[in-house]
C-alpha cells in the first residue's frame, strides 16, 4: 500500500533505495502519508513513539548502535522542535539521524492556520544538510536530487540531516503501487588522503620522549588488538582512557581523575606534561585532564579520527581524518624507537594511588560512591551499559571498566534529557542485555521514555535517587543560599515505583548496602520482564564522601 501523494511515495522509495530500514514514527495527521507508506511495507521496521522528544532519542539510540542512518518522522508544527535536543546530540556525537518533518504547503504558512511554524531550516545549525522539498509535482526531479543529497550526507558524514516535506490534503488516500520512481545516486565513501607533509612532521615529533594518547568516546573494538598491544609496549607512550572509550588494557590508565589527583597535590604537572598529545575518538569527560592540558599544553597535538578533530586544549597541530588503525598502519614503519620510559614514571604512582583508593572504598559508608562501587563491581560481562549524564558518568570514571562491557553515554551535548529513550532505542538492536545507570533527575525528566511497547525483557534500569541534582553539591556553588535547594539542587521526594506499575516494569528498591547487594543479585539473575532498581542515597552526605575520596588519594 502506497500513499497517493507522489512526494510521499518518493520519500518512501528513497529510504528503501538507501537501505534505511528503521523508521520511528510519532502520531499525527500531516505525516499520515508517510506513516501509511512506512508502516505497511515489510521492508521497514516501524516503531510508534508518541512523545516526539522521546522518539528522536529512541531513534538516536538505534543509529548509535547500528552506525547507519535511522529515520524519525513527525507531523507539522511544534512536533519538529521537540526533536532538537536529540538532533544536537547526534550532531556532536556523529550519529546519522534522519529527521523527516511533514509540513503544511508554503501557501498555508503565516495565514493563521493551525500547527504552522517556520519549519524550513528549523534545525539548520545542527544538521549537515537541509532538504526543503516541494509539494508541486513539477518539482519531483528536484526533490529526488535533494533526497539523494540528504540521505547520502547522513550516511557518509555520520551526521544528522533534516528533510522537510509539505503535503496538501487529502492525506489518507492510498494506491496499490507507486506512480513515481526514484533514481538512486550511489556515492561510495572515499578515504581522505593523509598529508605527506603532516606525516613527516608527525614522524619528526615522535622523537620527543613523552607522548600521551588520550582516548575519548569510541565504539567497541574500534582499535585493533594489534595496536592496543603496540601502545602497551612502547615505553614512551602513556595512554589515558575513559569508560566510553571501550578500551581496556593493563598498562592503560582508565581512571583519569583518580590518577591526576595526587599529581596536582604534589605539583607534578610539569613533569607529566606531554611533549606530544595524540587524541583519538570523541568527547572526553574528565575535567581534570582538560585543565591539565590547557595549563600545561604539549608541544604538538595531533587528532586522529575520521570525523572530529577538536582543538579542546587550544594547541591542535593537525587533524588526521582517518581511523586510528589505518593511521598507525601507515605511520608506524617510519617511527624511530624512543627509549625514554615515560610510562614507567607514572604507572608506579598510579599503582600506589589505586592502593589508597582500595583502602578508602573498603570503608566507604552507604552513599552514591558505595552504590556505584557495588553496581560496577557486580555488573556481569558481557553487557551493554548506557550511562546518563551529570553525576552518573562522572562517578563511572572513578571505577575500572571490564573487558566485555560496551559503554555509551550521550556526551555530544552532555544533556540529561534523553538518556532513557536512547538506552531503550539502543537495546532494540543490541544482542547483549542492556543496563541503564541513571540519576533521578535524568530519569524523571525523561520518564515518558517508558511509554514504549518495545522495551526488551532483558532491559534493566538502576536509578540512583539522591532526592535532587546531587551534582550541584559537588560543584563550587554556595549551598548556603536560600534558593540553592529549590532552584539549583531541585530537591524532591519522587519515586519511580508508580511509574513501574503503570508501564509494567518489575520494581526493586534498596536503602542500604545489604538491600543493594540482594537487589543486584535479583536484577542480574532474572530476564522475564524489564526491571528497575531504585537506590535511595543520603542527599547531604554524598558530596562530602566524594571530596574525602580525592583527599584519601594524596
Amino acid at each position: 500500500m502506497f500513499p497517493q501523494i507522489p512526494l510521499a511515495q518518493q520519500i518512501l522509495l528513497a529510504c528503501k533505495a538507501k537501505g534505511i530500514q528503521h523508521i520511528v514514527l510519532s502520531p499525527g495527521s500531516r505525516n499520515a502519508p508517510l506513516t501509511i507508506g512506512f508502516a505497511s511495507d515489510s521492508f521497514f521496521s516501524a516503531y510508534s513513539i508518541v512523545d516526539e522528544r522521546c522518539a528522536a532519542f529512541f531513534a538516536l539510540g538505534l543509529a548509535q548502535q547500528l552506525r547507519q542512518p535511522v529515520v524519525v518522522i513527525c507531523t507539522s508544527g511544534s512536533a519538529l522542535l521537540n526533536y532538537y535536543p536529540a538532533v544536537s546530540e547526534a550532531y556532536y556525537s556523529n550519529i546519522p539521524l534522519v529527521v523527516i518533518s511533514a509540513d503544511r504547503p508554503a501557501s498555508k504558512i503565516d495565514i493563521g492556520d493551525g500547527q504552522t511554524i517556520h519549519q524550513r531550516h528549523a534545525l539548520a545549525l545542527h544538521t549537515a544538510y537541509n532538504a526543503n522539498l516541494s509539494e508541486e509535482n513539477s518539482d519531483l526531479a528536484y526533490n529526488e536530487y535533494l533526497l539523494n543529497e540528504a540521505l547520502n550526507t547522513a550516511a557518509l558524514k555520520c551526521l544528522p540531516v533534516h528533510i522537510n516535506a509539505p503535503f496538501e490534503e487529502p492525506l489518507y488516500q492510498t494506491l496499490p503501487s507507486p506512480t513515481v520512481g526514484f533514481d538512486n545516486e550511489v556515492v561510495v565513501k572515499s578515504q581522505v588522503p593523509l598529508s605527506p607533509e603532516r606525516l613527516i612532521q608527525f614522524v619528526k615529533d615522535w622523537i620527543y620522549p613523552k607522548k600521551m594518547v588520550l582516548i575519548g568516546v569510541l565504539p567497541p573494538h574500534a582499535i585493533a588488538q594489534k595496536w592496543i598491544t603496540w601502545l602497551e609496549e612502547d615505553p614512551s607512550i602513556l595512554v589515558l582512557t575513559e569508560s566510553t572509550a571501550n578500551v581496556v588494557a593493563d598498562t592503560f590508565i582508565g581512571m583519569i581523575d583518580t590518577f591526576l589527583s595526587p599529581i596536582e597535590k604534589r605539583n607534578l604537572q610539569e613533569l607529566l606534561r606531554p611533549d606530544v598529545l595524540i587524541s583519538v575518538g570523541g568527547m572526553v569527560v574528565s575535567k581534570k585532564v582538560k585543565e591539565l592540558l590547557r595549563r600545561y599544553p604539549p608541544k604538538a597535538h595531533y587528532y586522529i579520527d575520521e570525523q572530529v578533530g577538536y582543538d579542546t586544549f587550544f594547541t591542535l597541530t593537525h587533524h588526521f581524518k582517518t581511523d586510528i588503525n589505518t593511521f598507525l598502519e601507515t605511520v608506524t614503519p617510519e617511527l624511530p624507537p624512543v627509549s625514554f620510559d615515560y610510562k614507567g614514571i607514572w604507572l608506579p604512582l598510579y599503582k600506589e594511588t589505586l592502593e589508597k583508593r582500595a583502602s578508602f572504598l573498603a570503608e566507604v559508608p552507604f552513599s552514591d560512591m558505595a552504590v556505584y562501587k557495588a553496581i560496577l563491581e557486580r555488573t556481569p560481562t558481557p553487557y551493554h551499559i548506557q550511562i546518563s549524564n551529570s553525576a552518573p558518568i562522572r562517578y563511572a570514571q572513578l571505577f575500572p571498566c571490564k573487558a566485555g562491557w560496551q559503554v555509551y553515554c550521550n556526551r555530544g551535548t552532555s544533556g540529561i534529557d534523553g538518556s532513557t529513550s536512547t538506552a531503550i532505542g539502543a537495546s532494540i538492536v543490541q544482542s547483549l542485555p542492556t543496563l541503564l545507570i541513571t540519576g533521578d533527575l535524568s530519569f524523571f525528566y525523561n520518564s515518558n521514555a517508558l511509554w514504549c511497547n518495545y522495551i526488551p525483557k532483558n532491559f534493566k534500569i538502576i536509578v540512583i535517587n539522591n532526592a535532587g541534582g546531587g551534582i550541584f553539591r559537588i560543584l563550587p556553588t554556595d549551598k548556603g543560599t536560600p534558593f540553592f535547594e529549590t532552584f539549583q539542587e531541585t530537591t524532591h521526594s519522587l519515586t519511580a515505583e508508580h511509574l513501574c506499575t503503570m508501564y509494567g516494569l518489575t520494581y526493586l528498591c534498596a536503602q542500604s548496602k545489604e538491600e543493594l547487594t540482594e537487589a543486584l543479585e535479583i536484577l542480574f539473575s532474572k530476564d522475564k520482564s524489564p526491571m528497575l532498581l531504585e537506590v535511595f542515597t543520603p542527599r547531604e552526605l554524598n558530596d562530602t564522601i566524594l571530596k574525602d575520596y580525592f583527599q584519601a588519594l594524596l
Side-chain angles (χ1 to χ4, degrees), residues 71-85:
V71 168
V72 58
I73 297 174
C74 67
T75 191
S76 61
S78 59
L80 171 62
L81 302 184
N82 285 289
Y83 284 169
Y84 217 139

Side-chain angles (χ1 to χ4, degrees), residues 259-483:
F259 168 62
L260 291 180
S261 290
I263 288 173
E264 293 173 346
K265 183 65 175 179
R266 301 179 195 182
N267 294 317
L268 298 175
Q269 298 98 319
E270 184 61 59
L271 181 62
L272 177 63
R273 181 208 297 254
D275 297 312
V276 177
L277 173 66
I278 300 169
S279 292
V280 180
M283 300 284 193
V284 171
V285 177
S286 172
K287 188 175 181 180
K288 287 183 181 294
V289 80
K290 293 174 187 175
E291 291 174 343
L292 170 75
L293 293 170
R294 286 168 183 165
R295 186 176 178 187
Y296 300 91
K299 295 182 176 71
H301 177 202
Y302 293 96
Y303 213 119
I304 303 166
D305 190 274
E306 285 186 283
Q307 307 295 339
V308 299
Y310 297 119
D311 190 12
T312 306
F313 314 110
F314 314 117
T315 58
L316 187 63
T317 304
H318 185 64
H319 172 205
F320 289 107
K321 291 187 177 182
T322 187
D323 67 279
I324 184 65
N325 301 304
T326 301
F327 179 80
L328 291 177
E329 197 74 54
T330 302
V331 77
T332 48
E334 308 300 323
L335 298 179
V338 180
S339 59
F340 185 77
D341 196 3
Y342 183 45
K343 195 191 310 269
I345 294 174
W346 299 107
L347 288 184
L349 174 61
Y350 186 46
K351 182 180 179 181
E352 174 190 323
T353 303
L354 293 183
E355 291 170 355
K356 293 179 180 179
R357 171 186 176 275
S359 297
F360 177 85
L361 291 178
E363 304 296 329
V364 69
F366 187 70
S367 59
D368 281 0
M369 179 71 78
V371 169
Y372 282 101
K373 176 178 182 291
I375 293 169
L376 295 169
E377 285 180 350
R378 288 172 172 78
T379 301
T381 60
Y383 231 87
H384 166 227
I385 302 173
Q386 294 270 341
I387 305 175
S388 75
N389 276 301
S390 202
I393 191 60
R394 287 174 170 81
Y395 271 107
Q397 307 312 313
L398 305 180
F399 296 90
C401 276
K402 297 178 184 177
W405 282 352
Q406 297 186 14
V407 183
Y408 294 86
C409 178
N410 287 346
R411 290 307 296 172
T413 56
S414 305
I416 68 167
D417 38 4
S419 298
T420 307
S421 293
T422 301
I424 294 172
S427 72
I428 303 299
V429 289
Q430 254 286 349
S431 59
L432 298 176
T434 296
L435 170 65
L436 168 65
I437 303 172
T438 180
D440 49 348
L441 291 192
S442 179
F443 173 76
F444 290 121
Y445 194 82
N446 190 207
S447 60
N448 265 3
L450 302 181
W451 189 4
C452 174
N453 295 323
Y454 313 103
I455 304 177
K457 291 182 179 180
N458 61 359
F459 185 83
K460 305 177 191 306
I461 303 174
I462 299 178
V463 180
I464 293 89
N465 190 338
N466 51 28
I471 188 68
F472 292 102
R473 287 190 167 269
I474 298 169
L475 297 174
T477 56
D478 185 356
K479 293 183 282 291
T481 59
F483 56 79

Side-chain angles (χ1 to χ4, degrees), residues 198-208 302 335-336:
R198 293 294 187 175
L199 285 170
I200 291 170
Q201 185 60 50
F202 182 88
V203 171
K204 288 181 180 178
D205 288 339
W206 193 259
I207 65 171
Y208 282 118
Y302 293 96
L335 298 179

Side-chain angles (χ1 to χ4, degrees), residues 10-240:
Q10 212 172 21
I11 293 171
L12 186 79
L13 294 172
C15 291
K16 182 178 283 191
K18 303 295 183 185
I20 300 173
Q21 291 184 282
H22 293 271
I23 313 295
V24 181
L25 298 148
S26 290
S29 181
R30 191 60 49 170
N31 61 336
L34 296 174
T35 301
I36 291 168
F38 283 112
S40 61
D41 191 327
S42 61
F43 174 83
F44 300 105
S45 295
Y47 310 88
S48 176
I49 305 291
V50 175
D51 183 318
E52 282 89 0
R53 186 178 67 187
C54 294
F57 277 108
F58 180 93
L60 181 134
L62 286 166
Q64 175 200 79
Q65 297 299 307
L66 294 168
R67 301 174 71 185
Q68 298 171 2
V70 170
V71 168
V72 58
I73 297 174
C74 67
T75 191
S76 61
S78 59
L80 171 62
L81 302 184
N82 285 289
Y83 284 169
Y84 217 139
V87 169
S88 62
E89 176 62 36
Y91 185 78
Y92 288 107
S93 290
N94 291 102
I95 294 176
L97 186 66
V98 178
V99 171
I100 302 179
S101 56
D103 198 0
R104 294 289 205 277
S107 61
K108 300 292 180 67
I109 306 301
D110 288 341
I111 66 167
D113 219 9
Q115 288 190 311
T116 54
I117 65 170
H118 292 283
Q119 295 183 199
R120 294 163 61 91
H121 302 292
L123 310 176
L125 291 177
H126 293 89
T127 46
Y129 193 86
N130 286 259
N132 294 296
L133 307 182
S134 168
E135 70 271 27
E136 301 297 334
N137 290 341
S138 59
D139 291 330
L140 287 176
Y142 185 56
N143 287 339
E144 181 177 84
Y145 164 78
L146 293 175
L147 286 166
N148 268 308
E149 289 291 301
L151 298 178
N152 287 340
T153 297
L156 296 178
K157 293 189 176 182
C158 290
L159 287 171
V161 298
H162 177 205
I163 298 169
N164 192 58
F167 297 131
E168 183 58 278
E169 297 178 6
L171 302 170
Y172 293 89
Q173 279 71 12
T174 61
L175 298 170
S177 60
T179 57
V180 300
F182 182 80
D183 187 6
N184 183 26
E185 180 187 342
V186 179
V187 180
V188 179
K189 188 173 185 177
S190 58
Q191 183 71 41
V192 177
L194 302 179
S195 165
E197 294 80 9
R198 293 294 187 175
L199 285 170
I200 291 170
Q201 185 60 50
F202 182 88
V203 171
K204 288 181 180 178
D205 288 339
W206 193 259
I207 65 171
Y208 282 118
K210 299 188 297 181
K211 292 175 283 290
M212 179 183 290
V213 174
L214 180 60
I215 306 178
V217 174
L218 280 179
H221 315 300
I223 304 179
Q225 184 58 48
K226 168 185 177 180
W227 299 117
I228 292 174
T229 302
W230 181 81
L231 290 167
E232 281 199 282
E233 292 177 349
D234 191 319
S236 69
I237 302 174
L238 185 68
V239 181
L240 308 184

